Amino acid sequence: MIKTRHYTLILAVLSLTILIAGGGAAASQQEQSEMPKGKMSMNQNGMMDMSAMMQEPHHQLAMAYKANLVNFAKALQYEANQTKPIDPEFARAAVAEMKRNFDQMQHHHQDHMKAMDEKMKPQMADMMKEMDTRDLAIKDDLNALDKEAQTSAPDPKSISKFVDEILKNCGSMSKMHGEMMKDKTAVPTDHKMN
């Protein structure tokens, strides 16, 4: 009972810290942006500026929720690798937060896509297709992880396996984001899945 309360307290503190830090970063980013809400600047060729696309408020929020998802995944992975057996309440709470953050990430990603310039969408099609594939894989792993966490004695090896896959797909998304930021005005044309 005390152990469960301890885990719940840790998750609550972690949640608050992430929300405060993520919210502050998103608010600061939005204040620094000179673009009107829902508009992205264009480069000299009339194409959407990649830097502006990365600064769009919904993109910023999606990235903050992805960071939260990764943080909860790492906390769960740590517990799965340290404790035998893993506390079911801890696992359920961590998975619930992971799912909530994933849903919010998806919501803001869709709003970001609506704000994207129509000329940019065809050039981003391959990358968007890869992101959709990774999103689907994360969703499937989250559902399997949730199913395992709902058991009376979640298997730490299964939990760790699903979390590893989620982290791998989130890492690939971050890698794509990093590649795009290397050249802030060009759209990457070739993304291969790892």
Side-chain angles (χ1 to χ4, degrees), residues 18-59:
I18 290 169
L19 288 173
I20 290 169
S28 173
Q29 190 66 40
Q30 190 168 356
E31 287 173 8
Q32 292 174 5
S33 177
E34 295 179 10
M35 325 176 258
K37 186 176 179 179
K39 301 290 181 190
M40 293 187 222
S41 66
M42 303 292 170
N43 64 21
Q44 66 271 16
N45 299 324
M47 297 300 294
M48 182 186 309
D49 187 319
M50 188 60 61
S51 179
M53 188 175 93
M54 295 300 164
Q55 299 303 317
E56 193 272 329
H58 287 292
H59 177 75

Side-chain angles (χ1 to χ4, degrees), residues 16-162:
L16 280 173
T17 303
I18 290 169
L19 288 173
I20 290 169
S28 173
Q29 190 66 40
Q30 190 168 356
E31 287 173 8
Q32 292 174 5
S33 177
E34 295 179 10
M35 325 176 258
K37 186 176 179 179
K39 301 290 181 190
M40 293 187 222
S41 66
M42 303 292 170
N43 64 21
Q44 66 271 16
N45 299 324
M47 297 300 294
M48 182 186 309
D49 187 319
M50 188 60 61
S51 179
M53 188 175 93
M54 295 300 164
Q55 299 303 317
E56 193 272 329
H58 287 292
H59 177 75
Q60 293 294 314
L61 286 172
M63 293 299 97
Y65 281 114
K66 182 173 77 74
N68 289 350
L69 168 64
V70 167
N71 286 334
F72 280 103
K74 287 179 178 179
L76 181 58
Q77 184 181 51
Y78 177 81
E79 287 302 315
N81 291 332
Q82 297 300 314
T83 53
K84 309 288 188 238
I86 191 167
D87 182 318
E89 291 303 315
F90 177 87
R92 290 179 196 130
V95 171
E97 281 302 309
M98 290 169 67
K99 290 178 75 173
R100 187 185 72 78
N101 282 288
F102 179 75
D103 290 343
Q104 288 296 312
M105 180 184 83
Q106 292 275 286
H107 170 76
H108 287 288
H109 174 72
Q110 291 303 318
D111 286 345
H112 173 64
M113 296 307 296
K114 291 174 188 172
M116 187 182 289
D117 181 88
E118 289 301 319
K119 293 177 185 176
M120 184 71 118
K121 288 181 182 180
Q123 295 178 1
M124 300 289 287
D126 288 343
M127 188 188 68
M128 295 288 90
K129 184 176 179 182
E130 182 178 340
M131 286 184 70
D132 288 344
T133 299
R134 295 208 182 270
D135 282 347
L136 185 58
I138 291 170
K139 185 176 183 176
D140 289 346
D141 286 324
L142 276 172
N143 287 335
L145 184 60
D146 188 38
K147 186 176 179 181
E148 182 63 38
Q150 296 304 320
T151 64
S152 59
D155 178 40
K157 288 182 181 177
S158 294
I159 297 254
S160 187
K161 179 184 81 168
F162 294 128

